[in-house]
Amino acid sequence: MTLAVLNHYMPGPLKQAARTAWQRQQMRRAMRRLVALPPGTTPERRLLDELRAAWDNEGFTADIDYLAEVARHAAQTPGPVLECGSGLTTLLLGALAGRRGVEVWALEHDPQWRRRVGTALRDHVAGQVYLWLSPLSDYGAFDWYAAPLPLMPEEFRLVVCDGPPDDTRGGRFGLLSVIGDRLPPGAVILLDDAARESEQDAVRRWTHAMPFRVALRRLPGGALAEITRC
Ligand SMILES: C[S@@+](CC[C@H](N)C(=O)[O-])C[C@H]1O[C@@H](n2cnc3c(N)ncnc32)[C@H](O)[C@@H]1O
């Protein structure tokens, strides 16, 4: 009997279980290759593609160009990393920065999603990541993560900004008000979805408040911005 015929007769729940098991195996395999890279090495796009497919969260996961930028910076950054909005990017940061001894702090507002990412970190990544449950909180003019500021590093060299979700009051603007004084010259913010009106507005307001150099890269599905503190 061919696989296609077997597949046809397999009941739905069994099919789903088989798919989940297959995806887990793909994830294990790809993560093993990622953590086997020598420290400081940027993974190839092909490996990122495999990770993205195995992670299986199409609607929310950053596209491949953003993942490639996150991986490139994570492999090289000398200092602490802050992530806003967790997911596959958190695994990349843990594997490429955390395992080099660089502190990684990830803020996540959704308890259920935090559980999924936390389980994957435990299963696949040996490096230290502080994946912090940070509900979206009222900061007056905007909402943003309730970050555990007293516990966090005094400086971040890299910020991976792919949250909070775009229906948050003020969008991603709050990052600079809450964390801005922890960004030394040379610190880089990688902003996903940078072509959206709310993110463009945030960048405009950030550059008025602080000296930044902004490099906008148009992508097939939007844009990413590399924003460097001058
Ligand atoms: C754009 S996602 C972050 C994705 C992450 N940077 C990545 O590339 O994997 C922003 C937020 O969406 C939420 N989210 C991610 N996947 C989700 C899912 N499958 N269902 C519901 N919310 C999800 C999480 O709260 C997350 O912090």
Side-chain angles (χ1 to χ4, degrees):
M1 222 185 267
T2 66
L3 199 61
V5 175
L6 263 178
N7 202 27
H8 180 76
Y9 287 108
M10 214 187 261
L14 206 58
K15 232 187 259 181
Q16 183 53 42
R19 184 173 184 270
T20 304
W22 184 81
Q23 230 134 13
R24 281 216 183 109
Q25 194 200 4
Q26 297 299 104
M27 193 68 197
R28 254 197 308 278
R29 196 176 287 172
M31 283 302 297
R32 242 186 256 138
R33 284 173 50 211
L34 183 70
V35 297
L37 292 174
T41 309
T42 304
E44 290 177 0
R45 277 173 89 90
R46 191 162 153 206
L47 177 53
L48 297 175
D49 267 329
E50 285 170 26
L51 283 164
R52 198 175 183 285
W55 182 243
D56 193 24
N57 192 37
E58 180 61 34
F60 289 85
T61 304
D63 70 19
I64 192 72
D65 294 286
Y66 187 76
L67 294 181
E69 276 307 292
V70 169
R72 187 170 74 81
H73 281 272
Q76 300 295 332
T77 189
V81 180
L82 173 67
E83 176 176 63
C84 312
S86 66
L88 181 57
T89 41
T90 320
L91 300 188
L92 287 178
L93 293 171
L96 299 170
R99 286 179 65 258
R100 289 190 294 113
V102 170
E103 260 183 65
V104 177
W105 286 76
L107 305 179
E108 176 54 56
H109 72 282
D110 178 340
Q112 233 177 322
W113 186 244
R114 179 180 174 274
R115 257 196 303 282
R116 173 169 173 189
V117 177
T119 303
L121 281 171
R122 261 195 314 282
D123 288 351
H124 302 297
V125 179
Q128 181 67 67
V129 177
Y130 300 101
L131 174 57
W132 211 266
L133 182 62
S134 311
L136 295 174
S137 304
D138 187 341
Y139 283 83
F142 58 87
D143 292 344
W144 205 69
Y145 300 100
L149 293 173
L151 303 177
M152 293 168 89
E154 287 183 358
E155 288 191 348
F156 287 103
R157 301 296 297 270
L158 174 65
V159 180
V160 173
C161 183
D162 195 15
D166 63 348
D167 57 0
T168 305
R169 192 168 58 95
R172 294 173 182 177
F173 166 74
L175 167 69
L176 205 69
S177 304
V178 181
I179 299 290
D181 62 350
R182 298 187 190 213
L183 299 178
V188 172
I189 303 172
L190 291 178
L191 175 68
D192 198 13
D193 309 307
R196 293 193 306 212
E197 186 46 48
S198 155
E199 277 68 17
Q200 297 227 325
D201 182 54
V203 173
R204 263 192 302 273
R205 293 165 73 191
W206 290 350
T207 47
H208 275 121
M210 241 181 216
F212 282 117
R213 196 171 56 247
V214 180
L216 188 72
R217 209 169 115 203
R218 298 272 166 199
L219 305 171
L224 76 82
E226 182 178 322
I227 302 167
T228 309
R229 168 90 156 85
C230 300

